[in-house]
Amino acid sequence: MAEEVTAAVEEERELASQPIPGLVRKYTIVTGQGMLAQIIMVVLEGLVMGWGLGAHGLACVSIIMSVEYINLAFGNLFGTGVPAVVGNLLGAGDIKGASKAFSQGFWLTTIVSVLLAVVMAVFTEPICAFFGATPDIMADTVAGVRTFAVLLPLTVIGQMITAVMRVDEKVQIQANLMTVSAIVAICWLALSTFVLKFGVMGAGVYYGLSIGIWAIGIFWFIGGKKSQLQISLADLKLDLAICGQIFKIGFPFFLVQGATFIFNTVANSLLGSLGGDMGSLYIAAFGVINGYILYITMMVAQCFSYGLQPIAAFNAGAKAWARLKETLSCTLKYQVVTLALVTVALWLAATPVCAFFAGSDPALVEVAANATRTVILAVALGYLAMTMSMYFQAVEKVGVATFTGLLRYVICSVPLMYLLGNMMGVEGVWIALVVADAITGIISIALAAHESKRLSGLPA
C-alpha cells in the first residue's frame, strides 16, 4: 500500500514538474506499447481475410464493419456511462448505491443489446441493403451480419463489463480477458477461413468473439465473493433516474463512435452505386483502406490523444495553464510530424501494403493502391480532430469534444462524399475524404489556437 501511495505521489510530481515535451513523448510511447498488440491483431486479421476471403469476401466484410461500428457505439455508450456512475458512487463511499447502479446498468445494457440483436437478425437483408451491400454480395453479407447479430449482446455487455472492471480495480483480469479474446478470435478466424471454409460467416463469428469473450467478466460480479458490485435480479425493474444518468454521460461518446458507422455506411453505399458493375470491387477496396490502412493510422493517432489525456486532465485540475497550453501544442506538433512520415511511407509502399491485405487479386490491389495514394494525403491533418476531442474531454468541455469528435467523419466527410461523388463518380468519393481531412485539420488548428489564446489570458 505504501508503495502504491509513493508511486502515485511520484506520478503527481512528474505530471506537475517534469518538462512537458518529455512527458508527452513518454506517455505517447507507453500508450503505443499497449496499442502494438491491437495493431498486430488487425494486421493478422487483414492477412487472413485478404488471402482467405478474396475481393468478394472483403466486400462483404466492409458491410459487416458497419455492424461492428454500431456495436462499438453502444459499447461506448454503456462502457462510459455505467462505470462513470459507479465510480462516482464508489468515490463517495456509497458501495450499496454503486452496486445497485452497476446492476441496473448491466440489465439496461442487456435489454438494449438483445433488442438491437433481434432487429439485426430479423431485418438483416434490408439492413445490409441500407449499409450498401450490392446484389452480388448480398447473400454472404446477410449470413455474416446475422451470425454477428447472434453474438452482439455479448460484445456490448463485454465492453461495459471490462470498463467497470477498471473502476473495480480488476485491471489485470480485464487485460487477461482482452488478451485471451484476441488470441481465440484470430485462431478461430484462421481455422474457419482456411480449414473449415466458413467464409464470411466465419468472419461474423470472429467479430463476435473478439469482444464477446470479454462478457465472461460477468462471473466476477455474481456470488458476492469476488466484488462488492453485484448483479441482482431485482434490478430487472429499471430505475429511470439511474438509467437516465447512464445515458446522459454515455450519449456523447455514443454519438462520436456512431459517426464512424454513418461514415462507413455512406461510403459503401456511394461506392456500390457509383461503381456500377465494379461496385463490389470498390467496396472491397474501401474495406482494405478503411478497415486496415486507415485503422492502423488512426491507432497511431490515438497514441498521441491517449498520451495527452492524463497530462491535460492533471494540469487542468491543477490550474497550471501554461503547462496545459504547452501540452496541447507539443502533442499536436509531434502528431502531425509522425503521421506525415507515416503518410509518406504508405504513399510510397501503397501497392505492397494493399497486396498484403487484399490477397492475390491484382484488380483489387490496383484499385486499393491507387485510392490509398489519394485518401491518405491529408490524414495527418484529419486526425487532429481526434486529439482535440480528447483534449476537450480532459478539460471537461463535453460540447466542443462532441463537435470535434463528429467533425471528420460526419460533418465534413458525408456531405463532401455526396457532393463530389455525384459530380465526379467514384474518384470524387476518394477526393472527398482528402478535402474533409484538410478542412477538419484547419478547423482543429483554429480551435487549438483559440484555446491557447484563452489559456494565455488566464491568471497563473
Side-chain angles (χ1 to χ4, degrees), residues 94-411:
D94 186 0
I95 295 173
K96 184 177 179 180
S99 185
K100 179 176 177 62
F102 166 64
S103 185
Q104 287 273 315
F106 169 78
W107 291 116
L108 176 64
T109 303
T110 300
I111 292 168
V112 172
S113 59
V114 168
L115 289 175
L116 180 63
V118 169
V119 171
M120 286 284 182
V122 173
F123 301 102
T124 314
E125 189 164 338
I127 287 172
C128 289
F130 176 76
F131 288 164
T134 51
D136 55 325
I137 63 172
M138 180 62 76
D140 282 339
T141 302
V142 167
V145 168
R146 188 164 282 152
T147 303
F148 188 11
V150 173
L151 297 170
L152 193 62
L154 292 179
T155 64
V156 178
I157 292 169
Q159 291 172 81
M160 185 276 291
I161 287 290
T162 52
V164 172
M165 279 183 157
R166 290 193 291 270
V167 174
D168 197 36
E169 300 181 355
K170 291 180 171 56
V171 181
Q172 188 59 57
I173 296 173
Q174 172 231 346
N176 292 343
L177 282 174
M178 290 182 170
T179 303
V180 169
S181 68
I183 295 171
V184 171
I186 283 293
C187 289
W188 162 259
L189 183 62
L191 178 67
S192 67
T193 302
F194 296 119
V195 179
L196 301 178
K197 305 294 184 182
F198 282 174
V200 178
M201 186 179 294
V205 175
Y206 161 78
Y207 283 114
L209 289 178
S210 63
I211 299 179
I213 290 175
W214 300 359
I216 292 173
I218 292 170
F219 294 105
W220 271 265
F221 302 102
I222 297 175
K225 296 179 181 179
K226 299 174 182 177
S227 174
Q228 293 175 313
L229 303 176
Q230 293 294 301
I231 297 170
S232 170
L233 281 173
D235 288 309
L236 261 172
K237 183 179 180 181
L238 297 178
D239 185 317
L240 295 182
I242 295 175
C243 295
Q245 195 174 5
I246 290 170
F247 276 113
K248 180 181 177 181
I249 294 172
F251 192 65
F253 298 91
F254 172 84
L255 283 178
V256 171
Q257 184 61 57
T260 58
F261 155 70
I262 297 172
F263 168 79
N264 195 70
T265 300
V266 169
N268 282 325
S269 180
L270 283 172
L271 291 170
S273 60
L274 297 173
D277 293 339
M278 294 178 61
S280 61
L281 183 66
Y282 288 120
I283 292 174
F286 180 69
V288 171
I289 295 167
N290 191 52
Y292 302 112
I293 295 172
L294 287 182
Y295 189 79
I296 292 171
T297 308
M298 179 193 70
M299 282 202 252
V300 174
Q302 281 182 335
C303 294
F304 291 93
S305 60
Y306 288 166
L308 169 141
Q309 185 182 37
I311 307 171
F314 180 89
N315 285 287
K319 301 187 186 304
W321 310 125
R323 289 176 63 79
L324 183 59
K325 176 183 174 181
E326 189 178 7
T327 299
L328 180 60
S329 175
C330 281
T331 301
L332 295 184
K333 289 176 183 176
Y334 290 156
Q335 179 176 326
V336 168
V337 171
T338 302
L339 287 184
L341 293 174
V342 171
T343 297
V344 172
L346 287 172
W347 194 92
L348 292 173
T351 298
V353 169
C354 289
F356 179 87
F357 290 117
S360 58
D361 188 325
L364 175 57
V365 171
E366 182 181 2
V367 170
N370 289 336
T372 295
R373 292 189 186 97
T374 300
V375 169
I376 64 169
L377 287 175
V379 291
L381 294 175
Y383 283 126
L384 288 176
M386 177 192 301
T387 303
M388 289 305 302
S389 180
M390 185 66 76
Y391 168 82
F392 285 122
Q393 287 177 25
V395 299
E396 299 183 359
K397 292 188 175 183
V398 178
V400 187
T402 303
F403 168 74
T404 49
L406 296 173
L407 187 58
R408 178 179 186 265
Y409 288 106
V410 173
I411 298 173

